Amino acid sequence: VSSSPPSTNPIVVACVRLVPTMMVLNSQDDVPIAGPAKVRSSSSPPSDQAPFQEQEVLSWDVAMGPRKEGWQRLTMLPPTMARLALNGVGTVGAVAGYTVGKCGEALGAGKAIDSPAFQASFRAWMWANGIFPEVQYEPLGEEMGKFVAQELGLARPPAASDISITPVLVSNHVSVLDGLVLASTFSAPKVVAKSKCKHIPMLGKLMKESDAVFVDSGKSDSRHTTLDAIVGHCREWQPGQRPLLIFPEGTMTNGHEVVDFKKGAFVAGLPVRPTIVVYTGHFDPANTTYKMTDRGPRKVGPVEWARQFWGHYIHSVHVRVLPPYFPSPEEKAYPQIYAKNCQELMASELQRVRSELYKRSWQQSAGRTGGGMDYQCGDEVRTASRHLSSFFASLGCFGREC
């Protein structure tokens, strides 16, 4: 997937350069194929794209969600202009929040990146860019809570919202936005990134303050170095400390599947906290190689992605945090088995979460087949019409006088 920046804003550029590099190096294996499901691309691409030969396309590498096409592209200009204005304001606010945090750090109030001022300003910057995450922590349950407390030596069961009870967070990987969303949701967890990322303006400094693990990908032993860095973090980690965020798929998918995990997140044999990311807006930000169209899969590049991102007002995303996954003795001894079992769990949970979100969405209520799960103009009328139709049908009066 290309990592070309979809924006000229320095923060967006820095984040887009960084996020695709996170945790792609945490295994010695190639990116696996997820199951037998495949689609075959058409050999007749749209006129605005270069032709490419007919080939098999992996189903998880095709964005299936909504995007503005045809005449709808005319509506992309107003949100783009609004985003340009708000982005500038949000960036100034983020810099101001960081400055306040640095002043607090000088007075002994902790790192600037952990300060309420910076975290609030960072969320405000995300809102200025139309990124609105919601997070839901699934309850640990009485038995799991007691087990976690016993394993970690805690006086009482931790809260479900405490993400510092495992050394590693593992998440499915859909978009370059994932890193921003999870950094905001989890208050800047550690990441593993290429060493060159430390030189990115602003973001490199923030990564250093969050104790990011930098790896020189240019060296022949970079994969082993990454594994050593993950194991080192896990050995030094103590309950209550900043966890390490890893995308174990090692690539980005369409958000409808979870492909095979690489073993890097699991080599230490310690518990992980599974996290599910689902985008529910009217733009599917999946950074896949292809997108689905009426004429089959078509290649899509970073420029098209950027146009769609800037051409929508809202980018809503649901983050579902599952209970901690504690490995069995066999899983501790064999990271490949640990990775496989965790992947199967998260693949199943992804389908459950997507189903739950759809059942309570405006899309389902209005009976729409297109667009995202969020509200779309006219949904209240469509919903009322469906309810009235169902009511009259239940009376046996639909289509005739009672």
Side-chain angles (χ1 to χ4, degrees), residues 47-180:
S47 58
D48 61 339
Q49 296 183 358
F52 58 96
Q53 294 181 344
E54 190 171 17
Q55 56 186 294
E56 287 189 332
V57 179
L58 297 172
S59 60
W60 56 262
D61 200 23
V62 182
M64 307 297 291
R67 300 189 180 201
K68 291 183 178 180
E69 304 290 351
W71 65 269
Q72 293 179 330
R73 290 175 177 267
L74 298 176
T75 66
M76 294 169 64
L77 182 59
T80 298
M81 300 303 295
R83 186 64 43 74
L84 286 170
L86 291 173
N87 201 301
V89 175
T91 300
V92 172
V95 173
Y98 180 74
T99 302
V100 172
K102 291 300 288 185
C103 292
E105 181 178 337
L107 297 175
K111 291 185 176 182
I113 198 171
D114 294 323
S115 68
F118 173 74
Q119 293 182 10
S121 64
F122 183 69
R123 285 192 294 271
W125 176 82
M126 290 184 59
W127 296 341
N129 280 277
I131 306 171
F132 291 89
E134 68 164 8
V135 60
Q136 179 179 338
Y137 295 89
E138 298 210 334
L140 300 182
E142 184 177 355
E143 291 187 7
M144 172 61 79
K146 291 181 178 179
F147 177 77
V148 172
Q150 180 180 356
E151 288 291 312
L152 300 180
L154 303 177
R156 59 178 180 271
S161 58
D162 186 355
I163 55 95
S164 64
I165 56 177
T166 63
V168 174
L169 306 173
V170 291
S171 173
N172 63 317
H173 202 7
V174 181
S175 169
V176 296
L177 301 179
D178 296 348
L180 297 174

Side-chain angles (χ1 to χ4, degrees), residues 247-305:
F247 300 108
E249 293 168 293
T251 188
M252 287 177 276
T253 72
N254 61 9
H256 291 260
E257 303 178 41
V258 178
V259 301
D260 291 350
F261 284 175
K262 298 182 178 183
K263 66 181 181 181
F266 310 95
V267 291
L270 295 179
V272 299
R273 192 75 182 269
T275 301
I276 302 293
V277 175
V278 177
Y279 289 88
T280 58
H282 295 291
F283 162 54
D284 178 8
N287 288 104
T288 53
T289 308
Y290 303 91
K291 66 176 180 179
M292 183 59 70
T293 70
D294 294 338
R295 290 188 285 174
R298 295 292 185 275
K299 283 189 175 181
V300 58
V303 174
E304 169 63 14
W305 188 94

